């Protein structure tokens, strides 16, 4: 899979690339590039944003700057680009990221994530250059970079080779294997600590009973909304 992140802070992704499961995915042949939006602005002084028409606080990323940058990166009109690969604007008002969307993106050969800053994007960027707008939650963070890392983290760990154990991503919170419910509770040694003991069934060695116990706890958590 090929993931590109268009950002004003490409160096932030140097750290991210070094994280174990990300590094594993990259070693397995997947690709993550951080592309510098400012490098291709046609405006003087590295300008990329402007004040909003109609007034209001903050600055808005300009559509002409994004047009130039995407053309430079892909050598194609961005209006056409979104027909060739998913181009995703990260914005608080977008489609909420969940396990289903992560699976959908993990199945794509190539994805481009656009990071907003300040007050976000000129709406024409989203309308004409993007196939999707995605949010990581109904709150506002200072820019799309951390949201892009959340998307990349969630997507890359689904790819073969990213996690140590083949089943790690298959049976985890919100997966199809758990019927969309949160994951069951985990315990490890010591079996008894300060009088808090591990549920007996997990020490029993009865795989079918353990499976049923875990499924039941997972369902309870799904019903109560506490993961
Ligand atoms: N940019 C700023 N806030 C965001 C959010 N909640 N999700 C995605 N991108 C964002």
């Amino acid at each position: 899979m090929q993931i590109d992140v268009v950002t004003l802070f490409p160096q932030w992704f140097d750290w991210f690339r070094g994280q174990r499961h990300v590094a594993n995915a990259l070693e397995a042949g997947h690709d993550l590039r951080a592309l510098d939006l400012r490098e291709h602005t046609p405006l003087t002084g590295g300008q990329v944003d402007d004040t909003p028409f109609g007034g209001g606080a903050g600055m808005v990323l300009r559509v002409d700057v994004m047009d130039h940058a995407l053309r430079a990166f892909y050598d194609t009109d961005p209006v056409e680009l979104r027909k060739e690969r998913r181009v995703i604007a990260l914005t608080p008002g977008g489609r909420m990221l969940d396990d289903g969307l992560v699976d959908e993106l993990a199945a794509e050969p190539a994805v481009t994530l656009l990071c907003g800053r300040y007050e976000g994007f000129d709406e024409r960027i989203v309308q004409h250059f993007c196939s999707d707008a995605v949010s990581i939650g109904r709150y506002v963070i200072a820019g799309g970079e951390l949201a892009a890392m959340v998307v990349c983290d969630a997507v890359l760990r689904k790819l073969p080779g990213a996690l140590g154990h083949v089943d790690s991503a298959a049976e985890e919170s919100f997966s199809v294997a758990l019927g969309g419910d949160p994951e069951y509770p985990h315990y490890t040694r010591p079996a008894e600590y300060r009088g808090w003991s591990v549920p007996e069934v997990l020490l029993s060695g009865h795989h079918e009973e353990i499976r049923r116990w875990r499924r039941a706890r997972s369902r309870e958590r799904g019903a109560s909304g506490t993961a």
Side-chain angles (χ1 to χ4, degrees), residues 89-94 116 118 134-145 147-148:
L90 292 159
T91 176
Y118 322 114
V134 168
S135 170
I136 60 161
R138 297 282 181 240
Y139 48 84
V140 179
I141 54 178
E145 283 74 16

Short mmCIF file of all heavy atoms in Angstrom, two decimals, residues 89-94 116 118 134-145 147-148, ligand 1:
data_model
loop_
_atom_site.label_atom_id
_atom_site.label_comp_id
_atom_site.label_asym_id
_atom_site.label_seq_id
_atom_site.Cartn_x
_atom_site.Cartn_y
_atom_site.Cartn_z
N ALA A 89 -9.46 14.49 2.79
CA ALA A 89 -9.24 15.68 3.62
C ALA A 89 -9.49 15.31 5.07
O ALA A 89 -10.54 14.74 5.39
CB ALA A 89 -10.18 16.79 3.19
N LEU A 90 -8.55 15.63 5.95
CA LEU A 90 -8.75 15.38 7.37
C LEU A 90 -9.37 16.63 7.98
O LEU A 90 -8.76 17.71 7.96
CB LEU A 90 -7.43 15.02 8.03
CG LEU A 90 -6.95 13.66 7.53
CD1 LEU A 90 -5.47 13.50 7.73
CD2 LEU A 90 -7.73 12.53 8.18
N THR A 91 -10.56 16.49 8.47
CA THR A 91 -11.32 17.65 8.95
C THR A 91 -12.33 17.19 10.00
O THR A 91 -12.90 16.10 9.87
CB THR A 91 -12.00 18.35 7.74
OG1 THR A 91 -12.81 19.41 8.22
CG2 THR A 91 -12.83 17.41 6.91
N PRO A 92 -12.54 18.01 11.06
CA PRO A 92 -13.40 17.55 12.15
C PRO A 92 -14.83 17.23 11.72
O PRO A 92 -15.51 16.42 12.36
CB PRO A 92 -13.39 18.71 13.15
CG PRO A 92 -12.56 19.80 12.57
CD PRO A 92 -11.90 19.30 11.33
N GLY A 93 -15.28 17.82 10.63
CA GLY A 93 -16.66 17.58 10.20
C GLY A 93 -16.82 16.40 9.25
O GLY A 93 -17.93 16.14 8.76
N GLY A 94 -15.74 15.66 8.99
CA GLY A 94 -15.79 14.57 8.01
C GLY A 94 -16.45 13.30 8.54
O GLY A 94 -16.98 13.28 9.66
N GLY A 116 -5.11 19.70 7.08
CA GLY A 116 -5.46 21.12 7.21
C GLY A 116 -4.71 21.71 8.39
O GLY A 116 -4.19 20.99 9.24
N TYR A 118 -4.72 25.65 10.82
CA TYR A 118 -5.46 26.88 11.04
C TYR A 118 -6.97 26.58 11.03
O TYR A 118 -7.41 25.65 11.68
CB TYR A 118 -5.03 27.95 10.03
CG TYR A 118 -3.54 27.90 9.73
CD1 TYR A 118 -3.05 27.54 8.49
CD2 TYR A 118 -2.61 28.15 10.76
CE1 TYR A 118 -1.69 27.46 8.24
CE2 TYR A 118 -1.24 28.06 10.51
CZ TYR A 118 -0.79 27.73 9.26
OH TYR A 118 0.55 27.63 9.02
N VAL A 134 -12.55 12.95 6.28
CA VAL A 134 -12.55 12.03 7.44
C VAL A 134 -12.22 12.80 8.71
O VAL A 134 -11.35 13.66 8.73
CB VAL A 134 -11.56 10.87 7.20
CG1 VAL A 134 -11.32 10.08 8.48
CG2 VAL A 134 -12.08 9.95 6.10
N SER A 135 -12.93 12.44 9.77
CA SER A 135 -12.71 13.03 11.10
C SER A 135 -12.29 11.93 12.07
O SER A 135 -12.76 10.80 11.97
CB SER A 135 -14.02 13.65 11.58
OG SER A 135 -13.93 14.02 12.94
N ILE A 136 -11.41 12.27 13.01
CA ILE A 136 -11.06 11.29 14.05
C ILE A 136 -11.86 11.52 15.32
O ILE A 136 -11.66 10.85 16.32
CB ILE A 136 -9.54 11.27 14.36
CG1 ILE A 136 -9.06 12.63 14.88
CG2 ILE A 136 -8.74 10.81 13.15
CD1 ILE A 136 -7.72 12.54 15.61
N GLY A 137 -12.80 12.45 15.30
CA GLY A 137 -13.65 12.68 16.47
C GLY A 137 -14.26 14.07 16.43
O GLY A 137 -13.76 14.95 15.74
N ARG A 138 -15.31 14.24 17.18
CA ARG A 138 -16.02 15.52 17.19
C ARG A 138 -15.35 16.50 18.16
O ARG A 138 -15.91 16.84 19.19
CB ARG A 138 -17.49 15.31 17.54
CG ARG A 138 -18.23 14.47 16.52
CD ARG A 138 -18.57 15.29 15.26
NE ARG A 138 -19.29 14.47 14.29
CZ ARG A 138 -18.86 14.23 13.05
NH1 ARG A 138 -17.71 14.71 12.62
NH2 ARG A 138 -19.59 13.49 12.22
N TYR A 139 -14.14 16.85 17.83
CA TYR A 139 -13.39 17.85 18.57
C TYR A 139 -12.38 18.41 17.57
O TYR A 139 -12.16 17.81 16.52
CB TYR A 139 -12.66 17.23 19.78
CG TYR A 139 -11.92 15.98 19.42
CD1 TYR A 139 -10.63 16.04 18.87
CD2 TYR A 139 -12.51 14.73 19.55
CE1 TYR A 139 -9.96 14.89 18.49
CE2 TYR A 139 -11.84 13.57 19.17
CZ TYR A 139 -10.58 13.66 18.63
OH TYR A 139 -9.93 12.52 18.24
N VAL A 140 -11.78 19.54 17.89
CA VAL A 140 -10.86 20.16 16.94
C VAL A 140 -9.44 20.09 17.49
O VAL A 140 -9.19 20.47 18.64
CB VAL A 140 -11.25 21.64 16.69
CG1 VAL A 140 -10.27 22.29 15.71
CG2 VAL A 140 -12.67 21.73 16.15
N ILE A 141 -8.52 19.59 16.69
CA ILE A 141 -7.10 19.63 17.04
C ILE A 141 -6.43 20.66 16.11
O ILE A 141 -7.04 21.10 15.14
CB ILE A 141 -6.43 18.24 16.98
CG1 ILE A 141 -6.66 17.56 15.63
CG2 ILE A 141 -6.96 17.37 18.10
CD1 ILE A 141 -5.98 16.21 15.50
N ALA A 142 -5.20 21.00 16.43
CA ALA A 142 -4.59 22.16 15.77
C ALA A 142 -4.35 21.96 14.28
O ALA A 142 -4.20 22.93 13.54
CB ALA A 142 -3.28 22.51 16.47
N GLY A 143 -4.31 20.72 13.84
CA GLY A 143 -4.09 20.47 12.42
C GLY A 143 -4.34 19.01 12.11
O GLY A 143 -4.56 18.20 13.02
N GLY A 144 -4.28 18.67 10.83
CA GLY A 144 -4.60 17.30 10.42
C GLY A 144 -3.49 16.29 10.63
O GLY A 144 -3.70 15.09 10.43
N GLU A 145 -2.29 16.75 11.04
CA GLU A 145 -1.14 15.82 11.12
C GLU A 145 -1.38 14.67 12.09
O GLU A 145 -1.15 13.50 11.75
CB GLU A 145 0.14 16.57 11.49
CG GLU A 145 0.76 17.37 10.35
CD GLU A 145 0.00 18.64 10.01
OE1 GLU A 145 -0.83 19.09 10.83
OE2 GLU A 145 0.23 19.18 8.92
N ALA A 147 -4.22 13.64 13.16
CA ALA A 147 -5.32 12.84 12.61
C ALA A 147 -4.79 11.90 11.51
O ALA A 147 -5.18 10.73 11.44
CB ALA A 147 -6.40 13.76 12.06
N ALA A 148 -3.88 12.41 10.67
CA ALA A 148 -3.29 11.57 9.62
C ALA A 148 -2.52 10.41 10.24
O ALA A 148 -2.57 9.28 9.75
CB ALA A 148 -2.37 12.40 8.72
N1 LIG B 1 -8.26 18.49 12.00
C1 LIG B 1 -8.59 19.20 13.10
N2 LIG B 1 -9.39 18.49 13.91
C2 LIG B 1 -9.59 17.28 13.30
C3 LIG B 1 -10.34 16.12 13.61
N3 LIG B 1 -11.05 16.02 14.74
N4 LIG B 1 -10.32 15.10 12.74
C4 LIG B 1 -9.62 15.18 11.60
N5 LIG B 1 -8.90 16.25 11.24
C5 LIG B 1 -8.87 17.29 12.08
#
